[in-house]
Amino acid sequence: WGVMAGHAEKKRTAENARILTLHQGVVLGGLVVYLLLRVAWWWESMTRWHWIGLISTMGVQWMSLKGLSSAGEQSVDLRNPTGICEYLFDLLYISLFVLVGSLVSDYIWLVWIVLPAFAMWKLWDGVLRPWFFDPTTE
C-alpha cells in the first residue's frame, strides 16, 4: 500500500503545481493588462485611489497564491478545495475581477465591499450568533 500512496501523493503534488502555475499565469496576465491599459495607455486617469486599489489587489492575490501554495505543499487537493482553500480561490477570483473590471468602470471597485460583508456574515453565523443565542448545556 505504501507504493500506491506514494504514487497518489506524487500525482496530487504535480496536479497542485499545475493548478498553481495556471493561476499565477492568469493573475500575471490580468496585472499586465491592467498595467498596459490603465498605467501606460490611460495614465491621466490614474489617481491615488487607483494606486491603492492596484496595490491592494496585488496584495490579496499574492497572499491567496501564497496560501494556496502552502496548502498544496501539504498535499491538500487543490482540484477540490474545501475550507480555507475555497475562500482563497474566491479571493483570488474576486480581486482579479475587480482589477480587470475597473478598466471598464471605476464603480467595479465597490465589489470589494463583498469581501468584508461576507467575512462579517461568517463571523456572525459561525461564532457570534451561536455564542449569544444558542442555549448552553450548563
Side-chain angles (χ1 to χ4, degrees):
W1 293 101
V3 174
M4 295 210 33
H7 177 68
E9 183 78 23
K10 289 178 185 176
K11 191 174 180 181
R12 182 178 306 145
T13 302
E15 183 65 18
N16 285 348
R18 188 191 67 76
I19 289 170
L20 287 171
T21 302
L22 172 71
H23 282 80
Q24 288 168 349
V26 169
V27 166
L28 185 61
L31 181 61
V32 167
V33 167
Y34 185 85
L35 291 174
L36 284 175
L37 291 178
R38 176 71 79 174
V39 177
W41 191 273
W42 299 316
W43 173 253
E44 64 278 355
S45 72
M46 278 298 283
T47 66
R48 176 178 4 147
W49 293 110
H50 288 102
W51 285 109
I52 291 170
L54 173 62
I55 291 168
S56 67
T57 56
M58 286 174 53
V60 167
Q61 291 169 355
W62 180 80
M63 287 186 296
S64 297
L65 286 171
K66 195 71 170 160
L68 289 169
S69 175
S70 176
E73 290 171 1
Q74 297 172 12
S75 298
V76 172
D77 188 4
L78 296 181
R79 288 176 299 161
N80 188 17
T82 57
I84 194 71
C85 289
E86 187 175 12
Y87 297 129
L88 291 174
F89 275 117
D90 291 345
L91 282 172
L92 194 64
Y93 299 144
I94 290 171
S95 63
L96 186 62
F97 170 76
V98 167
L99 185 66
V100 175
S102 69
L103 293 169
V104 176
S105 171
D106 286 340
Y107 289 108
I108 296 291
W109 290 106
L110 295 175
V111 172
W112 275 116
I113 294 171
V114 169
L115 300 177
F118 181 73
M120 291 181 62
W121 177 77
K122 290 299 277 185
L123 178 68
W124 170 256
D125 191 51
V127 178
L128 298 177
R129 185 180 51 83
W131 189 41
F132 285 123
F133 297 112
D134 288 350
T136 59
T137 57
E138 293 178 25

mmCIF file with all atom_site columns, all heavy atoms in Angstrom, residues 24-44:
data_model
loop_
_atom_site.group_PDB
_atom_site.id
_atom_site.type_symbol
_atom_site.label_atom_id
_atom_site.label_alt_id
_atom_site.label_comp_id
_atom_site.label_asym_id
_atom_site.label_entity_id
_atom_site.label_seq_id
_atom_site.pdbx_PDB_ins_code
_atom_site.Cartn_x
_atom_site.Cartn_y
_atom_site.Cartn_z
_atom_site.occupancy
_atom_site.B_iso_or_equiv
_atom_site.pdbx_formal_charge
_atom_site.auth_seq_id
_atom_site.auth_comp_id
_atom_site.auth_asym_id
_atom_site.auth_atom_id
_atom_site.pdbx_PDB_model_num
ATOM 1   N N   . GLN A 1 24 ? -1.215 31.458 -11.360 1.00 0.00 ? 24 GLN A N   1
ATOM 2   C CA  . GLN A 1 24 ? -0.201 32.513 -11.382 1.00 0.00 ? 24 GLN A CA  1
ATOM 3   C C   . GLN A 1 24 ? -0.160 33.181 -12.750 1.00 0.00 ? 24 GLN A C   1
ATOM 4   O O   . GLN A 1 24 ? -0.027 34.412 -12.841 1.00 0.00 ? 24 GLN A O   1
ATOM 5   C CB  . GLN A 1 24 ? 1.172  31.934 -11.032 1.00 0.00 ? 24 GLN A CB  1
ATOM 6   C CG  . GLN A 1 24 ? 1.315  31.556 -9.580  1.00 0.00 ? 24 GLN A CG  1
ATOM 7   C CD  . GLN A 1 24 ? 2.551  30.721 -9.313  1.00 0.00 ? 24 GLN A CD  1
ATOM 8   O OE1 . GLN A 1 24 ? 3.219  30.237 -10.229 1.00 0.00 ? 24 GLN A OE1 1
ATOM 9   N NE2 . GLN A 1 24 ? 2.858  30.530 -8.038  1.00 0.00 ? 24 GLN A NE2 1
ATOM 10  N N   . GLY A 1 25 ? -0.289 32.407 -13.816 1.00 0.00 ? 25 GLY A N   1
ATOM 11  C CA  . GLY A 1 25 ? -0.311 32.970 -15.163 1.00 0.00 ? 25 GLY A CA  1
ATOM 12  C C   . GLY A 1 25 ? -1.521 33.857 -15.397 1.00 0.00 ? 25 GLY A C   1
ATOM 13  O O   . GLY A 1 25 ? -1.418 34.930 -16.006 1.00 0.00 ? 25 GLY A O   1
ATOM 14  N N   . VAL A 1 26 ? -2.677 33.421 -14.909 1.00 0.00 ? 26 VAL A N   1
ATOM 15  C CA  . VAL A 1 26 ? -3.893 34.222 -15.070 1.00 0.00 ? 26 VAL A CA  1
ATOM 16  C C   . VAL A 1 26 ? -3.770 35.538 -14.301 1.00 0.00 ? 26 VAL A C   1
ATOM 17  O O   . VAL A 1 26 ? -4.112 36.606 -14.814 1.00 0.00 ? 26 VAL A O   1
ATOM 18  C CB  . VAL A 1 26 ? -5.128 33.420 -14.618 1.00 0.00 ? 26 VAL A CB  1
ATOM 19  C CG1 . VAL A 1 26 ? -6.362 34.299 -14.530 1.00 0.00 ? 26 VAL A CG1 1
ATOM 20  C CG2 . VAL A 1 26 ? -5.374 32.251 -15.560 1.00 0.00 ? 26 VAL A CG2 1
ATOM 21  N N   . VAL A 1 27 ? -3.257 35.471 -13.073 1.00 0.00 ? 27 VAL A N   1
ATOM 22  C CA  . VAL A 1 27 ? -3.078 36.689 -12.270 1.00 0.00 ? 27 VAL A CA  1
ATOM 23  C C   . VAL A 1 27 ? -2.067 37.611 -12.942 1.00 0.00 ? 27 VAL A C   1
ATOM 24  O O   . VAL A 1 27 ? -2.294 38.825 -13.040 1.00 0.00 ? 27 VAL A O   1
ATOM 25  C CB  . VAL A 1 27 ? -2.630 36.323 -10.836 1.00 0.00 ? 27 VAL A CB  1
ATOM 26  C CG1 . VAL A 1 27 ? -2.123 37.537 -10.090 1.00 0.00 ? 27 VAL A CG1 1
ATOM 27  C CG2 . VAL A 1 27 ? -3.792 35.693 -10.082 1.00 0.00 ? 27 VAL A CG2 1
ATOM 28  N N   . LEU A 1 28 ? -0.979 37.065 -13.415 1.00 0.00 ? 28 LEU A N   1
ATOM 29  C CA  . LEU A 1 28 ? 0.027  37.876 -14.100 1.00 0.00 ? 28 LEU A CA  1
ATOM 30  C C   . LEU A 1 28 ? -0.550 38.496 -15.369 1.00 0.00 ? 28 LEU A C   1
ATOM 31  O O   . LEU A 1 28 ? -0.301 39.670 -15.666 1.00 0.00 ? 28 LEU A O   1
ATOM 32  C CB  . LEU A 1 28 ? 1.268  37.032 -14.417 1.00 0.00 ? 28 LEU A CB  1
ATOM 33  C CG  . LEU A 1 28 ? 2.445  37.774 -15.014 1.00 0.00 ? 28 LEU A CG  1
ATOM 34  C CD1 . LEU A 1 28 ? 2.946  38.847 -14.048 1.00 0.00 ? 28 LEU A CD1 1
ATOM 35  C CD2 . LEU A 1 28 ? 3.556  36.806 -15.340 1.00 0.00 ? 28 LEU A CD2 1
ATOM 36  N N   . GLY A 1 29 ? -1.338 37.732 -16.102 1.00 0.00 ? 29 GLY A N   1
ATOM 37  C CA  . GLY A 1 29 ? -1.972 38.264 -17.305 1.00 0.00 ? 29 GLY A CA  1
ATOM 38  C C   . GLY A 1 29 ? -2.910 39.412 -16.991 1.00 0.00 ? 29 GLY A C   1
ATOM 39  O O   . GLY A 1 29 ? -2.912 40.436 -17.685 1.00 0.00 ? 29 GLY A O   1
ATOM 40  N N   . GLY A 1 30 ? -3.715 39.273 -15.945 1.00 0.00 ? 30 GLY A N   1
ATOM 41  C CA  . GLY A 1 30 ? -4.608 40.361 -15.543 1.00 0.00 ? 30 GLY A CA  1
ATOM 42  C C   . GLY A 1 30 ? -3.846 41.598 -15.118 1.00 0.00 ? 30 GLY A C   1
ATOM 43  O O   . GLY A 1 30 ? -4.232 42.728 -15.454 1.00 0.00 ? 30 GLY A O   1
ATOM 44  N N   . LEU A 1 31 ? -2.753 41.401 -14.421 1.00 0.00 ? 31 LEU A N   1
ATOM 45  C CA  . LEU A 1 31 ? -1.925 42.524 -13.991 1.00 0.00 ? 31 LEU A CA  1
ATOM 46  C C   . LEU A 1 31 ? -1.287 43.225 -15.183 1.00 0.00 ? 31 LEU A C   1
ATOM 47  O O   . LEU A 1 31 ? -1.259 44.466 -15.249 1.00 0.00 ? 31 LEU A O   1
ATOM 48  C CB  . LEU A 1 31 ? -0.843 42.041 -13.019 1.00 0.00 ? 31 LEU A CB  1
ATOM 49  C CG  . LEU A 1 31 ? 0.084  43.085 -12.448 1.00 0.00 ? 31 LEU A CG  1
ATOM 50  C CD1 . LEU A 1 31 ? -0.695 44.121 -11.645 1.00 0.00 ? 31 LEU A CD1 1
ATOM 51  C CD2 . LEU A 1 31 ? 1.139  42.433 -11.577 1.00 0.00 ? 31 LEU A CD2 1
ATOM 52  N N   . VAL A 1 32 ? -0.792 42.461 -16.137 1.00 0.00 ? 32 VAL A N   1
ATOM 53  C CA  . VAL A 1 32 ? -0.179 43.047 -17.337 1.00 0.00 ? 32 VAL A CA  1
ATOM 54  C C   . VAL A 1 32 ? -1.215 43.849 -18.119 1.00 0.00 ? 32 VAL A C   1
ATOM 55  O O   . VAL A 1 32 ? -0.942 44.970 -18.555 1.00 0.00 ? 32 VAL A O   1
ATOM 56  C CB  . VAL A 1 32 ? 0.472  41.949 -18.210 1.00 0.00 ? 32 VAL A CB  1
ATOM 57  C CG1 . VAL A 1 32 ? 0.813  42.475 -19.588 1.00 0.00 ? 32 VAL A CG1 1
ATOM 58  C CG2 . VAL A 1 32 ? 1.708  41.402 -17.517 1.00 0.00 ? 32 VAL A CG2 1
ATOM 59  N N   . VAL A 1 33 ? -2.420 43.291 -18.287 1.00 0.00 ? 33 VAL A N   1
ATOM 60  C CA  . VAL A 1 33 ? -3.478 44.019 -18.993 1.00 0.00 ? 33 VAL A CA  1
ATOM 61  C C   . VAL A 1 33 ? -3.785 45.325 -18.280 1.00 0.00 ? 33 VAL A C   1
ATOM 62  O O   . VAL A 1 33 ? -3.896 46.384 -18.906 1.00 0.00 ? 33 VAL A O   1
ATOM 63  C CB  . VAL A 1 33 ? -4.747 43.138 -19.130 1.00 0.00 ? 33 VAL A CB  1
ATOM 64  C CG1 . VAL A 1 33 ? -5.955 43.966 -19.560 1.00 0.00 ? 33 VAL A CG1 1
ATOM 65  C CG2 . VAL A 1 33 ? -4.499 42.008 -20.100 1.00 0.00 ? 33 VAL A CG2 1
ATOM 66  N N   . TYR A 1 34 ? -3.908 45.272 -16.959 1.00 0.00 ? 34 TYR A N   1
ATOM 67  C CA  . TYR A 1 34 ? -4.210 46.480 -16.188 1.00 0.00 ? 34 TYR A CA  1
ATOM 68  C C   . TYR A 1 34 ? -3.091 47.510 -16.343 1.00 0.00 ? 34 TYR A C   1
ATOM 69  O O   . TYR A 1 34 ? -3.352 48.688 -16.578 1.00 0.00 ? 34 TYR A O   1
ATOM 70  C CB  . TYR A 1 34 ? -4.415 46.147 -14.707 1.00 0.00 ? 34 TYR A CB  1
ATOM 71  C CG  . TYR A 1 34 ? -4.837 47.346 -13.892 1.00 0.00 ? 34 TYR A CG  1
ATOM 72  C CD1 . TYR A 1 34 ? -6.177 47.705 -13.816 1.00 0.00 ? 34 TYR A CD1 1
ATOM 73  C CD2 . TYR A 1 34 ? -3.908 48.127 -13.214 1.00 0.00 ? 34 TYR A CD2 1
ATOM 74  C CE1 . TYR A 1 34 ? -6.582 48.807 -13.087 1.00 0.00 ? 34 TYR A CE1 1
ATOM 75  C CE2 . TYR A 1 34 ? -4.301 49.222 -12.479 1.00 0.00 ? 34 TYR A CE2 1
ATOM 76  C CZ  . TYR A 1 34 ? -5.643 49.560 -12.423 1.00 0.00 ? 34 TYR A CZ  1
ATOM 77  O OH  . TYR A 1 34 ? -6.038 50.652 -11.699 1.00 0.00 ? 34 TYR A OH  1
ATOM 78  N N   . LEU A 1 35 ? -1.846 47.057 -16.194 1.00 0.00 ? 35 LEU A N   1
ATOM 79  C CA  . LEU A 1 35 ? -0.725 47.989 -16.289 1.00 0.00 ? 35 LEU A CA  1
ATOM 80  C C   . LEU A 1 35 ? -0.598 48.594 -17.676 1.00 0.00 ? 35 LEU A C   1
ATOM 81  O O   . LEU A 1 35 ? -0.330 49.788 -17.815 1.00 0.00 ? 35 LEU A O   1
ATOM 82  C CB  . LEU A 1 35 ? 0.582  47.295 -15.886 1.00 0.00 ? 35 LEU A CB  1
ATOM 83  C CG  . LEU A 1 35 ? 0.713  46.936 -14.408 1.00 0.00 ? 35 LEU A CG  1
ATOM 84  C CD1 . LEU A 1 35 ? 1.975  46.130 -14.171 1.00 0.00 ? 35 LEU A CD1 1
ATOM 85  C CD2 . LEU A 1 35 ? 0.683  48.171 -13.536 1.00 0.00 ? 35 LEU A CD2 1
ATOM 86  N N   . LEU A 1 36 ? -0.802 47.782 -18.708 1.00 0.00 ? 36 LEU A N   1
ATOM 87  C CA  . LEU A 1 36 ? -0.705 48.306 -20.070 1.00 0.00 ? 36 LEU A CA  1
ATOM 88  C C   . LEU A 1 36 ? -1.802 49.323 -20.364 1.00 0.00 ? 36 LEU A C   1
ATOM 89  O O   . LEU A 1 36 ? -1.537 50.391 -20.922 1.00 0.00 ? 36 LEU A O   1
ATOM 90  C CB  . LEU A 1 36 ? -0.758 47.179 -21.092 1.00 0.00 ? 36 LEU A CB  1
ATOM 91  C CG  . LEU A 1 36 ? 0.503  46.353 -21.252 1.00 0.00 ? 36 LEU A CG  1
ATOM 92  C CD1 . LEU A 1 36 ? 0.253  45.194 -22.220 1.00 0.00 ? 36 LEU A CD1 1
ATOM 93  C CD2 . LEU A 1 36 ? 1.655  47.213 -21.746 1.00 0.00 ? 36 LEU A CD2 1
ATOM 94  N N   . LEU A 1 37 ? -3.031 48.992 -19.988 1.00 0.00 ? 37 LEU A N   1
ATOM 95  C CA  . LEU A 1 37 ? -4.133 49.881 -20.321 1.00 0.00 ? 37 LEU A CA  1
ATOM 96  C C   . LEU A 1 37 ? -4.237 51.074 -19.372 1.00 0.00 ? 37 LEU A C   1
ATOM 97  O O   . LEU A 1 37 ? -4.250 52.218 -19.809 1.00 0.00 ? 37 LEU A O   1
ATOM 98  C CB  . LEU A 1 37 ? -5.451 49.108 -20.355 1.00 0.00 ? 37 LEU A CB  1
ATOM 99  C CG  . LEU A 1 37 ? -5.586 48.123 -21.503 1.00 0.00 ? 37 LEU A CG  1
ATOM 100 C CD1 . LEU A 1 37 ? -6.899 47.370 -21.415 1.00 0.00 ? 37 LEU A CD1 1
ATOM 101 C CD2 . LEU A 1 37 ? -5.479 48.844 -22.836 1.00 0.00 ? 37 LEU A CD2 1
ATOM 102 N N   . ARG A 1 38 ? -4.329 50.801 -18.062 1.00 0.00 ? 38 ARG A N   1
ATOM 103 C CA  . ARG A 1 38 ? -4.580 51.888 -17.116 1.00 0.00 ? 38 ARG A CA  1
ATOM 104 C C   . ARG A 1 38 ? -3.340 52.747 -16.903 1.00 0.00 ? 38 ARG A C   1
ATOM 105 O O   . ARG A 1 38 ? -3.416 53.969 -16.896 1.00 0.00 ? 38 ARG A O   1
ATOM 106 C CB  . ARG A 1 38 ? -5.074 51.322 -15.782 1.00 0.00 ? 38 ARG A CB  1
ATOM 107 C CG  . ARG A 1 38 ? -5.278 52.345 -14.697 1.00 0.00 ? 38 ARG A CG  1
ATOM 108 C CD  . ARG A 1 38 ? -6.455 53.242 -14.943 1.00 0.00 ? 38 ARG A CD  1
ATOM 109 N NE  . ARG A 1 38 ? -7.676 52.543 -14.596 1.00 0.00 ? 38 ARG A NE  1
ATOM 110 C CZ  . ARG A 1 38 ? -8.864 53.119 -14.598 1.00 0.00 ? 38 ARG A CZ  1
ATOM 111 N NH1 . ARG A 1 38 ? -8.994 54.379 -14.923 1.00 0.00 ? 38 ARG A NH1 1
ATOM 112 N NH2 . ARG A 1 38 ? -9.928 52.424 -14.305 1.00 0.00 ? 38 ARG A NH2 1
ATOM 113 N N   . VAL A 1 39 ? -2.200 52.126 -16.704 1.00 0.00 ? 39 VAL A N   1
ATOM 114 C CA  . VAL A 1 39 ? -0.997 52.896 -16.369 1.00 0.00 ? 39 VAL A CA  1
ATOM 115 C C   . VAL A 1 39 ? -0.333 53.453 -17.631 1.00 0.00 ? 39 VAL A C   1
ATOM 116 O O   . VAL A 1 39 ? -0.003 54.639 -17.694 1.00 0.00 ? 39 VAL A O   1
ATOM 117 C CB  . VAL A 1 39 ? -0.009 52.033 -15.547 1.00 0.00 ? 39 VAL A CB  1
ATOM 118 C CG1 . VAL A 1 39 ? 1.259  52.794 -15.260 1.00 0.00 ? 39 VAL A CG1 1
ATOM 119 C CG2 . VAL A 1 39 ? -0.658 51.575 -14.245 1.00 0.00 ? 39 VAL A CG2 1
ATOM 120 N N   . ALA A 1 40 ? -0.137 52.629 -18.636 1.00 0.00 ? 40 ALA A N   1
ATOM 121 C CA  . ALA A 1 40 ? 0.580  53.099 -19.822 1.00 0.00 ? 40 ALA A CA  1
ATOM 122 C C   . ALA A 1 40 ? -0.321 53.887 -20.778 1.00 0.00 ? 40 ALA A C   1
ATOM 123 O O   . ALA A 1 40 ? 0.067  54.939 -21.270 1.00 0.00 ? 40 ALA A O   1
ATOM 124 C CB  . ALA A 1 40 ? 1.207  51.911 -20.548 1.00 0.00 ? 40 ALA A CB  1
ATOM 125 N N   . TRP A 1 41 ? -1.517 53.382 -21.032 1.00 0.00 ? 41 TRP A N   1
ATOM 126 C CA  . TRP A 1 41 ? -2.375 53.998 -22.040 1.00 0.00 ? 41 TRP A CA  1
ATOM 127 C C   . TRP A 1 41 ? -3.200 55.153 -21.463 1.00 0.00 ? 41 TRP A C   1
ATOM 128 O O   . TRP A 1 41 ? -3.302 56.209 -22.052 1.00 0.00 ? 41 TRP A O   1
ATOM 129 C CB  . TRP A 1 41 ? -3.303 52.937 -22.619 1.00 0.00 ? 41 TRP A CB  1
ATOM 130 C CG  . TRP A 1 41 ? -4.040 53.380 -23.839 1.00 0.00 ? 41 TRP A CG  1
ATOM 131 C CD1 . TRP A 1 41 ? -5.222 54.046 -23.877 1.00 0.00 ? 41 TRP A CD1 1
ATOM 132 C CD2 . TRP A 1 41 ? -3.645 53.201 -25.186 1.00 0.00 ? 41 TRP A CD2 1
ATOM 133 N NE1 . TRP A 1 41 ? -5.605 54.278 -25.153 1.00 0.00 ? 41 TRP A NE1 1
ATOM 134 C CE2 . TRP A 1 41 ? -4.635 53.767 -25.991 1.00 0.00 ? 41 TRP A CE2 1
ATOM 135 C CE3 . TRP A 1 41 ? -2.547 52.606 -25.793 1.00 0.00 ? 41 TRP A CE3 1
ATOM 136 C CZ2 . TRP A 1 41 ? -4.570 53.758 -27.372 1.00 0.00 ? 41 TRP A CZ2 1
ATOM 137 C CZ3 . TRP A 1 41 ? -2.493 52.599 -27.163 1.00 0.00 ? 41 TRP A CZ3 1
ATOM 138 C CH2 . TRP A 1 41 ? -3.495 53.173 -27.933 1.00 0.00 ? 41 TRP A CH2 1
ATOM 139 N N   . TRP A 1 42 ? -3.826 54.918 -20.288 1.00 0.00 ? 42 TRP A N   1
ATOM 140 C CA  . TRP A 1 42 ? -4.688 55.945 -19.681 1.00 0.00 ? 42 TRP A CA  1
ATOM 141 C C   . TRP A 1 42 ? -4.036 56.528 -18.431 1.00 0.00 ? 42 TRP A C   1
ATOM 142 O O   . TRP A 1 42 ? -4.653 56.626 -17.378 1.00 0.00 ? 42 TRP A O   1
ATOM 143 C CB  . TRP A 1 42 ? -6.044 55.346 -19.307 1.00 0.00 ? 42 TRP A CB  1
ATOM 144 C CG  . TRP A 1 42 ? -6.819 54.803 -20.454 1.00 0.00 ? 42 TRP A CG  1
ATOM 145 C CD1 . TRP A 1 42 ? -6.988 55.387 -21.666 1.00 0.00 ? 42 TRP A CD1 1
ATOM 146 C CD2 . TRP A 1 42 ? -7.533 53.578 -20.496 1.00 0.00 ? 42 TRP A CD2 1
ATOM 147 N NE1 . TRP A 1 42 ? -7.759 54.610 -22.463 1.00 0.00 ? 42 TRP A NE1 1
ATOM 148 C CE2 . TRP A 1 42 ? -8.122 53.476 -21.775 1.00 0.00 ? 42 TRP A CE2 1
ATOM 149 C CE3 . TRP A 1 42 ? -7.750 52.543 -19.590 1.00 0.00 ? 42 TRP A CE3 1
ATOM 150 C CZ2 . TRP A 1 42 ? -8.888 52.402 -22.151 1.00 0.00 ? 42 TRP A CZ2 1
ATOM 151 C CZ3 . TRP A 1 42 ? -8.522 51.479 -19.971 1.00 0.00 ? 42 TRP A CZ3 1
ATOM 152 C CH2 . TRP A 1 42 ? -9.076 51.409 -21.235 1.00 0.00 ? 42 TRP A CH2 1
ATOM 153 N N   . TRP A 1 43 ? -2.795 56.940 -18.526 1.00 0.00 ? 43 TRP A N   1
ATOM 154 C CA  . TRP A 1 43 ? -2.047 57.436 -17.378 1.00 0.00 ? 43 TRP A CA  1
ATOM 155 C C   . TRP A 1 43 ? -2.771 58.578 -16.669 1.00 0.00 ? 43 TRP A C   1
ATOM 156 O O   . TRP A 1 43 ? -2.774 58.660 -15.448 1.00 0.00 ? 43 TRP A O   1
ATOM 157 C CB  . TRP A 1 43 ? -0.653 57.880 -17.799 1.00 0.00 ? 43 TRP A CB  1
ATOM 158 C CG  . TRP A 1 43 ? 0.087  58.546 -16.693 1.00 0.00 ? 43 TRP A CG  1
ATOM 159 C CD1 . TRP A 1 43 ? 0.365  59.870 -16.576 1.00 0.00 ? 43 TRP A CD1 1
ATOM 160 C CD2 . TRP A 1 43 ? 0.618  57.923 -15.521 1.00 0.00 ? 43 TRP A CD2 1
ATOM 161 N NE1 . TRP A 1 43 ? 1.046  60.115 -15.409 1.00 0.00 ? 43 TRP A NE1 1
ATOM 162 C CE2 . TRP A 1 43 ? 1.213  58.931 -14.742 1.00 0.00 ? 43 TRP A CE2 1
ATOM 163 C CE3 . TRP A 1 43 ? 0.646  56.617 -15.041 1.00 0.00 ? 43 TRP A CE3 1
ATOM 164 C CZ2 . TRP A 1 43 ? 1.820  58.682 -13.525 1.00 0.00 ? 43 TRP A CZ2 1
ATOM 165 C CZ3 . TRP A 1 43 ? 1.258  56.362 -13.839 1.00 0.00 ? 43 TRP A CZ3 1
ATOM 166 C CH2 . TRP A 1 43 ? 1.842  57.391 -13.095 1.00 0.00 ? 43 TRP A CH2 1
ATOM 167 N N   . GLU A 1 44 ? -3.396 59.462 -17.443 1.00 0.00 ? 44 GLU A N   1
ATOM 168 C CA  . GLU A 1 44 ? -4.056 60.621 -16.836 1.00 0.00 ? 44 GLU A CA  1
ATOM 169 C C   . GLU A 1 44 ? -5.227 60.216 -15.942 1.00 0.00 ? 44 GLU A C   1
ATOM 170 O O   . GLU A 1 44 ? -5.653 60.997 -15.093 1.00 0.00 ? 44 GLU A O   1
ATOM 171 C CB  . GLU A 1 44 ? -4.521 61.621 -17.912 1.00 0.00 ? 44 GLU A CB  1
ATOM 172 C CG  . GLU A 1 44 ? -5.578 61.106 -18.858 1.00 0.00 ? 44 GLU A CG  1
ATOM 173 C CD  . GLU A 1 44 ? -5.029 60.271 -20.000 1.00 0.00 ? 44 GLU A CD  1
ATOM 174 O OE1 . GLU A 1 44 ? -3.800 60.150 -20.142 1.00 0.00 ? 44 GLU A OE1 1
ATOM 175 O OE2 . GLU A 1 44 ? -5.851 59.706 -20.741 1.00 0.00 ? 44 GLU A OE2 1
#
